[in-house]
Amino acid sequence: MSKKKALSAILLGLAVAVAAPLFLVHEAHEVRTHEIEFTAKKYGYSPARIIVNRGDTVVLRPTSLDVTHGFLLDGYDVEAVIKQQGLAYLKYTWTDDEGKAHTDWDKVREVEFTADKSGKFTFRCTQTCGNLHPFMTGELIVQDNTPYHVAVSLSVWLTLSLLLWAHTGSDSEIHRAWRVNLLEAVPLLKRAVKARSFQFLVIVPNLVFFYLFMLSGLWGSPVGNRNIAIIFVWILWWTLLKALMLPFGGRVWCLMCPLPAPGEWLSRKALTAVRYLNKPLRGLHHRFLGLNMDWPKKLRNIWLQNALFLVLISFGIILLTRPVATAIVFLVILAATLALPLIFRNRTFCLYLCPIGGFLGTYSMAACTELRAIDPKVCRNHKDKCCLVGGEGGWACPWGEYVGNMDRNNNCGLCTECIKSCPEDNVGVFLRPFGSDLNLRSFDEVFNVLIMLMVALVFSVTMLGPWDSIKQAANVTESRQVFLFLTYLGVVLGLTVVVFPSMFLLASKAAQILAGGRVMCRDIALRVAYIFIPLGMFVWVAFSLPQVMINYSYILSVLSDPLGLGWDLFGTAAYPFKPFHPETIPILQGVLVLAGLFFGLNRGFASLSALLTSRRETTRAMVIPSVLALVVVNVFLKLYMG
Amino acid sequence: MRKGVQLILAVACCLLLNTAGWAWAGSIVGVVKPQGLRSPEGILVYVAKAPAGPTDGSQAKFIMDQTQLAFIPHILPVLVDSKVEFPNNDKVAHNVFSLSRAKKFNLGSYQPGEAKTVQFDQPGVVDLRCDVHQEMNAYILVLNNPYFALTDKEGRFTIPDQSYLGAHDVKDVPPLSPGKYLVKTWHEKLKTAKKKIEISAAGDTTIVFKPKRGAPGVLYK
């Protein structure tokens, strides 16, 4: 099939994909009134999902079974406070003659509204009712849920179209990547990163915040949404990390992370200066404080990071809602980052132990930024390799990387030491296309990519879903239901460690067979796994971004009262809880998940095509992994939009 | 048999003429369009000054229920000298009291299934509270004539409201005779709106009230 014909088929497919769900409207139905006995209790509603047809009237008779709860329905102007024994207060607003808006509450027994917009709408608690309050939600599904059906239809179209488009390309096409050296384009940036104090100055503000968060975590309000440690770390920082820093800057967070800094300064016995030895000590021109040992070779992988990440996410909902738990994790990390540099050289904690370091490495492969040699030949001809062993201008790469042969972002913490140490001025920071590093090298990295995707799913179900029983199971320190927690843990670990990796391996085996069987299954698996890097990144953004859209008001309030002591530093302590366009969240999530599918398949194809000899083989090899990705995407679409 | 039918028809005609005669003599109909309320339902519209009639409030029966931590109804207009029963149909004990000038009383704490009665002998607003449950609140509006009505969901009303009065054993309320009257509104969240009207013998008089958000005045000066 020629490219022209393929393009016509793809466009025709798009028209069908969009039009079909619009025409496949359910048969006309009578408008009904749904009278619902509606209960709220920590941390969910019953019924958790209300499914009605467009135009129906919903009459809720709300009551709380424990404490006072709220009810705020996204997309509809309905807000109530629910108390015990069937008592509720319904909010209404009005405007006076001067155009000033006012709010008041009416005591009611019923909350009535007409479901006149189709789609999925979340209702959420507005009264701080306990640890998991920010995750107390329910769902109103107004059928026909056209946005969801369009998204499902588009996911199928996207998969088929990418396979068709890939199939029609010619073997001679070579992916030509563009890149722009930011240090040349922005001289000011070059001057900044060349300065010895650059990283120190970037870290110091974060260090101040870090200690403030520690104080707040230990002695501030125990209520998560009133504590700056929880709001700034798990709402703001996490979203910034996933949505901005990783996709655009790779491991740029490692440049400014305050956790390993004190240990590094201690081992270097310097804050900014370089302590250079003319005679190298065990390969490096520096003598660090302590034992100057090297990390064991057998542990030079990210298996430990994967395991530690799984341990952390097993208690994820506790970590995310209990300030003291966050502070304790910080303290443990701080202790490790202070102790390890006194034993081992380089950033061993960041490379092999940091629970988030694993995915920072794998996901940074897709980032739009890279630090590389401007001309690798210059590196090859340079005898001293200052970037690796240290130079008078900069410390030896704390990450153990040699810029001359660096072709991936995984282990580059962007500390900029190599830029300073290179006497040839041959190191640049480049802008590049998304998803440029295509080679996963080992199964610890593959496993990391797979568990990250599944953890996004688990978090989405547990925290964003309307299922109270799952939240109770995960919230073991409050619910005290140990058996339920162990069951939850079994399901989570079974899914992340056994089920999905097994499905992936089967898909890889099928890809190997369809590709003709000439390439080893291991090599195919390493390439196919790349699909799940962009997909995982976008899914994490889809999970994280709504957290900010819903909870941004808490950011403003804890800014004025960081310790929860009743302060009002900037006059925003009492900023009301008001989600930012929450009705757009399902659509936004759908778009992000579909974008993840597009980039995942596109980049996965690029990764495979570098391994296989012909496009025909590559396309055949991509079929089953594409179906797996399509299934995963549809699970997320169902969760976010269905 | 034929005589029986004729008698029934004759009585029906008399009743019809009688009812129609009230309308001719002056029902007040209208609508209240309040500013700053979620619903225009439950606003009292009443004739502030009406000629003393034969209506005897002491025979009227009104009930202010207590269930699910609430007084029901929230606004109960009654006639002066009426007796209001306060049954406790809840699962917990309540203690109804009022500190209002129109009627001060305290019924003390009493258990579910029990009921107490109070007679309201002075016109005015009685603000009801429960000593046990802070959020419980209601109003009894003691009126000195039967020419009042509560608005429906659309804010409409008809004075006199024969169905309301009939349901509370206030019967034989004659229509307002032609003349000039002052009609007022009362709601806990609205400023009092008032209008002077003239009822003619020709038929209904229509009024539209647009009360604004604010504190209400007293019922009678």
Side-chain angles (χ1 to χ4, degrees):
Chain A
M1 186 186 275
S2 70
K3 277 204 158 188
K4 207 172 178 181
K5 279 185 182 172
L7 190 62
S8 306
I10 288 169
L11 290 176
L12 184 67
L14 176 62
V16 173
V18 174
L22 298 177
F23 287 106
L24 286 176
V25 178
H26 288 171
E27 58 190 59
H29 47 73
E30 278 183 26
V31 172
R32 280 183 57 199
T33 297
H34 302 261
E35 295 186 5
I36 298 167
E37 299 300 327
F38 187 72
T39 56
K41 76 177 175 70
K42 289 180 179 181
Y43 298 96
Y45 300 93
S46 179
R49 281 166 64 88
I50 299 170
I51 302 172
V52 301
N53 288 319
R54 190 173 175 181
D56 287 358
T57 299
V58 180
V59 180
L60 303 177
R61 293 199 190 90
T63 192
S64 167
L65 301 180
D66 43 36
V67 298
T68 300
H69 292 285
F71 176 88
L72 176 64
L73 178 58
D74 294 351
Y76 288 80
D77 190 20
V78 181
E79 184 178 352
V81 171
I82 304 173
K83 292 182 172 259
Q84 291 174 312
Q85 299 195 35
L87 188 63
Y89 290 87
L90 185 60
K91 185 179 175 180
Y92 64 96
T93 53
W94 53 280
T95 311
D96 64 18
D97 292 342
E98 292 165 0
K100 196 177 170 188
H102 299 269
T103 297
D104 203 355
W105 300 80
D106 266 359
K107 196 193 289 186
V108 294
R109 295 278 158 193
E110 294 178 342
V111 175
E112 182 180 330
F113 60 92
T114 304
D116 52 4
K117 289 176 238 175
S118 70
K120 178 171 177 166
F121 304 91
T122 298
F123 42 88
R124 52 188 91 250
C125 184
T126 55
Q127 309 293 307
T128 302
C129 58
N131 292 312
L132 267 57
H133 152 70
F135 305 120
M136 182 171 165
T137 59
E139 291 170 355
L140 169 73
I141 315 294
V142 184
Q143 295 173 333
D144 298 311
N145 190 350
T146 312
Y148 168 62
H149 297 304
V150 169
V152 169
S153 176
L154 283 177
S155 70
V156 176
W157 166 80
L158 202 55
T159 308
L160 294 175
S161 300
L162 283 169
L163 284 171
L164 181 65
W165 187 249
H167 185 65
T168 52
S170 63
D171 293 347
S172 60
E173 278 180 40
I174 297 168
H175 177 68
R176 284 182 192 168
W178 54 266
R179 59 181 203 166
V180 177
N181 187 351
L182 289 172
L183 300 188
E184 275 179 16
V186 188
L188 195 65
L189 182 65
K190 187 172 182 177
R191 272 176 54 196
V193 298
K194 280 268 188 183
R196 281 290 337 143
S197 56
F198 174 68
Q199 191 179 18
F200 175 79
L201 291 176
V202 173
I203 286 174
V204 164
N206 285 335
L207 200 64
V208 172
F209 279 117
F210 168 69
Y211 279 106
L212 176 68
F213 295 162
M214 290 264 277
L215 290 176
S216 180
L218 291 171
W219 291 288
S221 169
V223 180
N225 55 302
R226 293 285 170 211
N227 194 303
I228 197 166
I230 293 293
I231 297 299
F232 267 65
V233 174
W234 299 123
I235 304 285
L236 187 61
W237 170 77
W238 186 257
T239 305
L240 288 175
L241 180 74
K242 291 287 188 183
L244 286 178
M245 285 193 262
L246 255 178
F248 295 103
R251 296 193 77 147
V252 70
W253 169 251
C254 301
L255 160 70
M256 59 187 84
C257 178
L259 288 165
E264 192 170 64
W265 295 335
L266 187 67
S267 72
R268 286 176 175 174
K269 292 182 280 183
L271 291 176
T272 58
V274 184
R275 300 166 69 85
Y276 181 77
L277 290 180
N278 283 325
K279 191 182 171 188
L281 171 69
R282 295 172 59 203
L284 300 186
H285 285 280
H286 313 293
R287 180 194 294 277
F288 297 97
L289 183 69
L291 303 178
N292 282 278
M293 289 170 67
D294 289 323
W295 186 254
K297 277 188 179 170
K298 280 189 178 176
L299 296 179
R300 289 183 193 175
N301 52 55
I302 61 169
W303 283 115
L304 273 175
Q305 288 179 314
N306 290 337
L308 287 170
F309 182 71
L310 284 176
V311 170
L312 273 192
I313 68 103
S314 297
F315 301 93
I317 206 159
I318 295 162
L319 191 65
L320 261 66
T321 54
R322 314 297 204 282
V324 71
T326 294
I328 288 170
V329 169
F330 278 166
L331 279 173
V332 170
I333 291 176
L334 186 66
T337 54
L338 279 171
L340 280 171
L342 300 178
I343 304 168
F344 300 107
R345 301 190 292 185
N346 292 341
R347 285 214 179 186
T348 46
F349 178 83
C350 308
L351 278 163
Y352 309 116
L353 291 172
C354 175
I356 68 162
F359 77 78
L360 287 180
T362 50
Y363 280 8
S364 68
M365 293 171 73
C368 297
T369 313
E370 65 180 17
L371 181 144
R372 296 285 189 276
I374 296 168
D375 181 0
K377 280 183 200 162
V378 174
C379 295
R380 281 198 289 275
N381 296 333
H382 189 247
K383 285 182 184 172
D384 292 340
K385 318 291 184 199
C386 297
C387 57
L388 180 64
V389 299
E392 291 183 14
W395 291 89
C397 176
W399 301 76
E401 287 284 291
Y402 165 50
V403 179
N405 63 5
M406 222 168 86
D407 59 355
R408 312 191 310 162
N409 280 353
N410 297 52
N411 292 335
C412 174
L414 292 170
C415 65
T416 68
E417 286 299 333
C418 54
I419 300 173
K420 300 184 226 318
S421 64
C422 181
E424 304 291 334
D425 209 7
N426 190 41
V427 183
V429 177
F430 297 89
L431 263 185
R432 64 176 195 179
F434 182 75
S436 290
D437 300 343
L438 298 172
N439 305 332
L440 286 161
R441 286 193 183 140
S442 49
F443 271 96
D444 55 332
E445 293 178 355
V446 171
F447 187 67
N448 179 270
V449 172
L450 301 181
I451 62 172
M452 281 310 294
L453 189 64
M454 286 303 104
V455 170
L457 179 64
V458 167
F459 273 22
S460 297
V461 169
T462 309
M463 296 175 200
L464 304 186
W467 300 285
D468 166 45
S469 52
I470 297 177
K471 293 183 214 295
Q472 293 292 355
N475 188 26
V476 64
T477 54
E478 186 179 357
S479 68
R480 308 280 175 187
Q481 298 182 34
V482 178
F483 178 73
L484 262 182
F485 174 68
L486 292 176
T487 310
Y488 170 79
L489 215 53
V491 172
V492 169
L493 294 179
L495 182 70
T496 51
V497 179
V498 181
V499 176
F500 190 61
S502 302
M503 290 168 72
F504 168 77
L505 287 177
L506 284 174
S508 301
K509 184 66 190 169
Q512 186 222 5
I513 293 167
L514 287 172
R518 286 191 297 277
V519 183
M520 284 175 66
C521 184
R522 178 183 184 278
D523 293 333
I524 292 267
L526 291 178
R527 301 287 172 157
V528 166
Y530 197 84
I531 294 172
F532 300 107
I533 290 181
L535 180 54
M537 290 176 84
F538 275 91
V539 163
W540 271 104
V541 178
F543 166 78
S544 308
L545 199 59
Q547 306 281 3
V548 172
M549 292 173 70
I550 298 298
N551 299 307
Y552 78 95
S553 57
Y554 295 138
I555 296 172
L556 297 175
S557 60
V558 297
L559 207 59
S560 274
D561 186 15
L563 297 174
L565 297 175
W567 301 348
D568 195 1
L569 300 176
F570 307 107
T572 56
Y575 195 84
F577 175 74
K578 193 180 178 200
F580 180 76
H581 291 291
E583 70 282 1
T584 61
I585 287 174
I587 309 281
L588 200 59
Q589 287 176 313
V591 170
L592 284 166
V593 171
L594 289 176
L597 179 66
F598 170 77
F599 284 111
L601 295 182
N602 178 280
R603 298 289 77 205
F605 189 89
S607 181
L608 259 181
S609 61
L611 177 74
L612 300 171
T613 50
S614 73
R615 275 192 174 261
R616 188 180 168 77
E617 276 181 5
T618 313
T619 311
R620 285 165 63 103
M622 274 296 288
V623 172
I624 302 297
S626 298
V627 171
L628 180 62
L630 181 63
V631 170
V632 171
V633 158
N634 272 278
V635 171
F636 278 102
L637 287 178
K638 177 73 183 162
L639 198 58
Y640 292 151
M641 301 181 77
Chain B
M1 180 69 185
R2 183 176 277 183
K3 278 187 179 175
V5 173
Q6 284 173 344
L7 188 65
I8 290 169
L9 280 173
V11 170
C13 285
C14 285
L15 280 173
L16 196 65
L17 282 171
N18 197 16
T19 312
W22 287 348
W24 291 335
S27 283
I28 304 170
V29 295
V31 65
V32 183
K33 297 175 180 176
Q35 176 203 60
L37 280 193
R38 186 174 58 86
S39 158
E41 187 179 11
I43 300 167
L44 178 78
V45 185
Y46 65 102
V47 177
K49 284 179 187 170
T55 311
D56 179 11
S58 64
Q59 300 306 311
K61 288 177 187 168
F62 294 92
I63 294 174
M64 177 60 83
D65 199 359
Q66 299 159 84
T67 180
Q68 291 184 295
L69 298 183
F71 289 114
I72 292 174
H74 182 62
I75 291 179
L76 179 70
V78 303
L79 273 171
V80 71
D81 290 332
S82 298
K83 285 173 186 162
V84 178
E85 191 181 35
F86 293 88
N88 182 351
N89 287 317
D90 214 336
K91 293 171 188 166
V92 292
H94 288 299
N95 182 349
V96 189
F97 74 94
S98 156
L99 296 174
S100 302
R101 228 184 292 169
K103 187 72 183 178
K104 284 185 187 172
F105 66 93
N106 187 343
L107 298 183
S109 177
Y110 57 104
Q111 296 301 315
E114 293 178 28
K116 296 198 177 185
T117 303
V118 176
Q119 188 168 22
F120 292 85
D121 45 14
Q122 277 186 54
V125 177
V126 179
D127 187 352
L128 291 182
R129 302 274 168 173
C130 171
D131 212 2
V132 190
H133 304 99
Q134 193 184 356
E135 69 274 18
M136 286 177 68
N137 171 225
Y139 297 91
I140 291 179
L141 306 174
V142 188
L143 298 149
N144 60 15
N145 67 63
Y147 301 104
F148 63 85
L150 284 175
T151 52
D152 65 10
K153 281 185 178 178
E154 278 78 41
R156 292 174 307 204
F157 63 90
T158 303
I159 298 173
D161 187 343
Q162 297 292 358
S163 62
Y164 180 87
L165 294 169
H168 295 93
D169 288 346
V170 181
K171 289 169 185 161
D172 303 325
V173 175
L176 278 165
S177 53
K180 290 182 179 176
Y181 296 94
L182 178 65
V183 184
K184 295 165 76 171
T185 67
W186 192 93
H187 186 277
E188 68 200 271
K189 291 178 179 176
L190 297 175
K191 287 179 184 170
T192 299
K194 48 190 166 186
K195 281 198 173 172
K196 285 178 182 170
I197 59 160
E198 184 165 359
I199 294 180
S200 65
D204 292 351
T205 305
T206 303
I207 326 177
V208 177
F209 283 108
K210 291 183 179 175
K212 295 195 173 175
R213 182 83 182 202
V218 294
L219 286 180
Y220 304 106
K221 283 183 179 170

